[in-house]
Amino acid sequence: MSGPHESSTFTALRGQLQDAAATFAGGPDALEGILLGMVDDVDRAVREPLEIFPVCHHSPASATAMARRLREKQPKVVYLELCEDMAPLLTELRNCRLPVAVQAFAGDVDGFPAEWAPLSVVAPITEASAEYQAIAYALDTPGVELVLVDRSSDHVFQWDTGTARTPEPAAEGTEGSDAPAEAALHGEAVGVEIGDLRPRFAELEEHLLRHGKVRHWSEWWHQYVEVPLGDSDHDTYRQVMFLIGSLFRRLAPGDGARVRVDEDRERYMWTRMREHLAATGADPADCLYVCGAFHAASRVAEFGVHGTDTFTISPRTATTWQYGLIPSSHAAIEAQFGLAAGSVSIASTEWAKSLKRTRVQPYRLAGQVGTKKAAAKKSPAKQAPAPKPRGAAVVPAPDPAAADRLSGFLRRPPVLDGLDEAELLGWSVDIVRAARRNGYLASTADAIAVFETSILLAGMRDRAKPTPYDFQDAAVTCIEKDTVPGRRDVRRLVEIMMGGDRIGQVGYDALPPLARDVHDRLAPLGLKLQQRGVQRALLDMASRPELQACSDVLWMLRRLLPHGAARPIMGERRLGERSIQESWDLAIGTHQRALIELGYEGVSIEQVLEQRLRREAYAPQATTATVLAAVEDATLYLRSRRLADELGTHALKVLATERSVDGAPEVLRRARALLAYYRTSEPVLPAWIESFVKTGYAHYCTLLPTAFQDEDATVGQVAAMLGFLFSMESLALSLGCDRAQLELAVAQSHPEDPSKTALLWAAQVQLGTLSRTELRARCDELLDNPLVVPAYPRYLSGFVHALEPVPGLADVVVEAVSNAFGRLPDAVLLPWLPLLITTLRSGAAELAPLLIREAGRIFPGRLAALDAWIPPWRTPPAPPAARRAAPAEHGPRGAALLTAHPETCDAVAELLGCDGAWATAGPSSAGAALLAAHPATCDAVAELLGCDGAWATAGPSSPGAALTTRHPATATALESLLAST
């Protein structure tokens, strides 16, 4: 089916395809339209004045063809399919060790749904990719301009229909393999699929895999595209890639949204290229357009330099985008784009082999980290010529613009590589060595078995030379057997042996200011922080005070970075406490992506931490506990009284609006900690915490009756409310609160749940409306009632929770538990005991130590004393008359204590400036000696009362008569004073 602008280049091929369609389909039908349409797409792309270079991402064949074409053509302008707003960052690639990813990040969105935040777009770059060859050529060649023409990061989400943020399913063949931690280096970012070439028609992919006798798409591409195109010439490569892109495009499913996005991207790129050509006056013949083969076979009206200008590019939203480089890895690329595990590592190995075989000199950025020093550049005239395709006849090279290379390529039988026994033998020996290091009982016999099995599998799959995938299957079959002794299986060992999961690194100069500041401030530790893995840091602030600043940075990093980036081993930071020695496990190099993304939020970690604390405190879903946690973190890490006061004032507003008691335990714990800290470190309490205690007292008094009856409120939450009210009561009353409010709240509470009922009884004991004797009587009544005995564990749970607001009831709780064990029969106790244990463990595990300490104080310490031990609550109280008469029977007990321990009295006398010696008091004058020895005291009292007189000598029969006789007015005044009081 010929078009009006159809050339005669592929006339013969069209005729052959028409005949083939008629033969297979019995006449013209859809098959003929597809086949001839594919040829039209190739013809259209070949005739375009601006040379289109189709690529496949991370394809060694594409990278080799790109390097060869750049040295032949030497274009002056390179158009690259990459987000146009990422262009300024590409010059920093020379400071990084590949693979890395160019990232666009937006933490605060404006114009997108808030639930999408944060937005992230990444474009991974490896050395074995055609895109890196084009970037290196353009940046290091004088007079060459690199222009990125794909949609911006903002347009990626403008055109997003929900599929861009959904990760693609893993490729077939990746099941059963544990994804390494490096697979998460890109996070949940949207990947820019540069050169993505994979059929979207599931039935087509399944057909190709089944008939190609391969397990997954990466293996099919390696066998049927990479190997045939590895040594092909430029025209053959282009036409074959155009044909594959057209095939996948025409057989793509009818997903209207995705097709529309693809076509809009093509319109966008061609519009940008025509704008650049018009603005600069560049000749299309001196330009090169690098894009995916899928987009190279485009059929939109805007295609080509002479296409229509009907596409309008929408403006960007007000979202502020941040740009940076983040480390990437082969596993991260495979996970994000749904490739088979190990396929990128195998591609890297094939790229190195291809360079040796073809003698093509690749492009590398000058000063590229992680690469060997490049040899002297050869001029294009001295560059080694491209090898001829294997199996092709030697014919004169026709005009490239009019040559038909597809016909010869499609008719040519597959060229089978000869078996490289030395390479396969080396693989077999290496995998056995690696298996033995990882715990497998492998031997030389296994190496021979792997060698022979690889050849056998390749023959069964119509291959003369085993591919790395054949070798991998053979190694798993011959070595792994049925168990994996270590943490790596044989499949993973093969991937490591073939090149491993190379992990990139962003150099210091390419880091954002925040990351560089962190490295500078941690320099006194003397560690290589950019190195991956865990490093131990020892901080002795007593001998090196300058390490205190490093400690502050590490604690903030622990708060901001993922778990494991900075993990304290020794030392802690709590309110009012600072460690003098600390030990840390640091993996900052492993979490370099997270540190770089912190740089998108601010220029220092203090600024980022303050922003996050404000964001958490002022979030719509923030609770009082959340705000108090922010106050505590601001005090701990930033030592900012200003921020703590601001967030504490906001906590008052949040507390006043809460109508539930879900966060009461957390509020109680944090409020107690902050109050204790301010009482010990500040001369006066901050105004906000005084207001918080006053507001909280009234707030929880109001909610208390409802919480006792609410089924959703747990006993722990109600106990926390009472704990706040009782523990803060003295401060609240001093600030003007009324205790009657609490008494009314407790009086209005009528719980139905047994545990809350016990909690209410404890609150009444604390308020004085219920005595301990009455509480013990109620517990005895519960044990005497057989209908209540099954619910007795829930009463005990309430009593245990009551230890939070009323810790003085610990002895009553121990008594209640002991009475249950002592009075209940085994038939009742044994089924009831598991319920008691599970109730206490689930509901009051943190209060159990207080209960255990009280039990240890009451019960005897030895088992032998237990038989004769009588519990204190069973000891009969002494009669009142006996208690009153007991002191008279034993004489003056206080005088005996003073005589037995005179040091105390001497110390008090010395403190008061009194001198004197002890005298032996007779039995009839217990207190007369003290009055006679110190008359000044009595004279002072007499003077105070307005009495005059002198001392008289008292006889032995009247020990106290001297005072009453000499100072009768004093005695009269004291009697009247006592009577009035």
Side-chain angles (χ1 to χ4, degrees), residues 692-854:
F692 185 86
V693 171
K694 185 176 179 180
T695 304
Y697 189 86
H699 178 73
Y700 285 133
C701 282
T702 304
L703 296 180
L704 190 61
T706 305
F708 266 113
Q709 296 178 350
D710 189 4
E711 295 181 356
D712 295 332
T714 64
V715 62
Q717 295 169 355
V718 180
M721 294 175 60
L722 291 173
F724 185 93
L725 293 172
F726 289 145
S727 61
M728 308 286 180
E729 184 178 15
S730 58
L731 179 59
L733 296 181
S734 67
L735 295 175
C737 294
D738 190 358
R739 194 169 193 259
Q741 188 177 6
L742 175 58
E743 295 174 349
L744 289 175
V746 173
Q748 294 173 357
S749 301
H750 305 287
E752 298 179 358
D753 184 73
S755 57
K756 292 182 181 179
T757 301
L759 189 60
L760 178 63
W761 292 346
Q764 292 173 348
V765 171
Q766 179 70 12
L767 292 176
T769 59
L770 183 68
S771 65
R772 287 173 172 256
T773 303
E774 294 174 338
L775 180 61
R776 288 187 172 95
R778 292 185 180 182
C779 294
D780 292 337
E781 292 176 1
L782 295 177
L783 287 175
D784 292 337
N785 190 346
L787 298 178
V788 181
V789 166
Y792 194 72
R794 300 178 64 186
Y795 284 96
L796 290 182
S797 176
F799 283 130
V800 174
H801 278 96
L803 297 179
E804 178 72 48
V806 192
L809 282 181
D811 57 338
V812 178
V813 178
V814 171
E815 177 183 345
V817 176
S818 301
N819 286 337
F821 279 88
R823 295 175 56 180
L824 294 178
D826 292 344
V828 177
L829 183 62
L830 292 180
W832 174 75
L833 192 58
L835 177 61
L836 172 65
I837 296 174
T838 55
T839 302
L840 295 180
R841 177 178 294 178
S842 61
E846 67 278 0
L847 298 172
L850 178 61
L851 196 63
I852 294 173
R853 284 197 300 269
E854 182 64 22

Side-chain angles (χ1 to χ4, degrees), residues 91-414:
T91 55
E92 296 293 341
L93 287 175
R94 68 179 75 252
N95 298 319
C96 305
R97 178 182 291 109
L98 300 180
V100 296
V102 185
Q103 182 184 38
F105 183 91
D108 298 325
V109 298
D110 186 356
F112 299 107
E115 59 271 15
W116 288 13
L119 305 180
S120 179
V121 180
V122 298
I125 298 176
T126 63
E127 188 177 0
S129 63
E131 296 81 9
Y132 175 75
Q133 295 300 309
I135 292 172
Y137 164 78
L139 294 182
D140 282 353
T141 305
V144 177
E145 184 178 5
L146 177 64
V147 182
L148 306 186
V149 295
D150 200 0
R151 55 182 176 166
S152 66
S153 303
D154 198 88
H155 286 91
V156 170
F157 290 94
Q158 282 190 34
W159 299 351
D160 180 21
T161 59
T163 57
R165 286 170 286 110
T166 303
E168 294 186 3
E172 183 181 354
T174 60
E175 301 86 16
S177 60
D178 296 333
E182 289 74 13
L185 285 178
H186 294 175
E188 297 179 356
V190 174
V192 179
E193 301 177 358
I194 306 175
D196 179 47
L197 200 58
R198 182 169 181 170
R200 298 178 184 174
F201 193 26
E203 287 78 4
L204 172 61
E205 182 172 351
E206 181 183 357
H207 176 83
L208 294 175
L209 297 181
R210 183 174 66 254
H211 289 274
K213 299 180 181 179
V214 294
R215 293 170 301 151
H216 43 70
W217 172 251
S218 300
E219 186 176 0
W220 185 92
W221 181 265
H222 171 84
Q223 178 65 25
Y224 295 98
V225 179
E226 287 290 334
V227 174
L229 291 182
D231 298 331
S232 62
D233 60 274
H234 173 62
D235 294 320
T236 303
Y237 169 83
R238 288 183 69 211
Q239 293 177 21
V240 172
M241 292 294 286
F242 286 145
L243 182 68
I244 296 175
S246 176
L247 171 65
F248 293 160
R249 190 184 189 96
R250 290 182 175 273
L251 294 182
D255 186 353
R258 186 164 185 177
V259 172
R260 183 174 63 254
V261 169
D262 289 333
E263 293 179 348
D264 285 346
R265 288 180 64 187
E266 294 154 7
R267 296 186 180 99
Y268 193 107
M269 290 187 284
W270 280 110
T271 300
R272 288 300 192 202
M273 284 186 283
R274 284 195 298 271
E275 290 176 353
H276 181 268
L277 292 173
T280 60
D283 186 359
D286 296 331
C287 303
L288 186 68
Y289 172 35
V290 182
C291 67
F294 188 89
H295 298 294
S298 176
R299 301 190 301 273
V300 297
E302 291 80 3
F303 178 88
V305 295
H306 302 296
T308 60
D309 290 322
T310 58
F311 183 71
T312 302
I313 298 177
S314 61
R316 302 183 187 180
T317 65
T319 300
T320 301
W321 290 87
Q322 306 280 345
Y323 300 92
L325 294 169
I326 61 174
S328 183
S329 67
H330 292 171
I333 297 172
E334 293 159 358
Q336 185 164 2
F337 298 107
L339 303 176
S343 58
V344 179
S345 299
I346 293 175
S348 179
T349 303
E350 292 297 321
W351 157 253
K353 292 169 56 178
S354 176
L355 293 180
K356 293 180 181 180
R357 184 179 67 253
T358 60
R359 294 179 295 172
V360 172
Q361 184 179 355
Y363 286 95
R364 291 188 178 93
L365 288 171
Q368 180 74 63
V369 179
T371 59
K372 297 180 181 179
K373 194 171 183 179
K377 293 185 178 180
K378 299 180 181 180
S379 62
K382 296 181 180 181
Q383 174 71 22
K388 297 182 291 295
R390 289 168 291 184
V394 180
V395 296
D399 183 11
D404 174 14
R405 301 300 178 89
L406 274 180
S407 300
F409 183 85
L410 295 176
R411 285 197 306 264
R412 181 177 40 180

Side-chain angles (χ1 to χ4, degrees), residues 409-421:
F409 183 85
L410 295 176
R411 285 197 306 264
R412 181 177 40 180
V415 179
L416 301 178
D417 289 341
L419 175 61
D420 190 346
E421 293 188 0

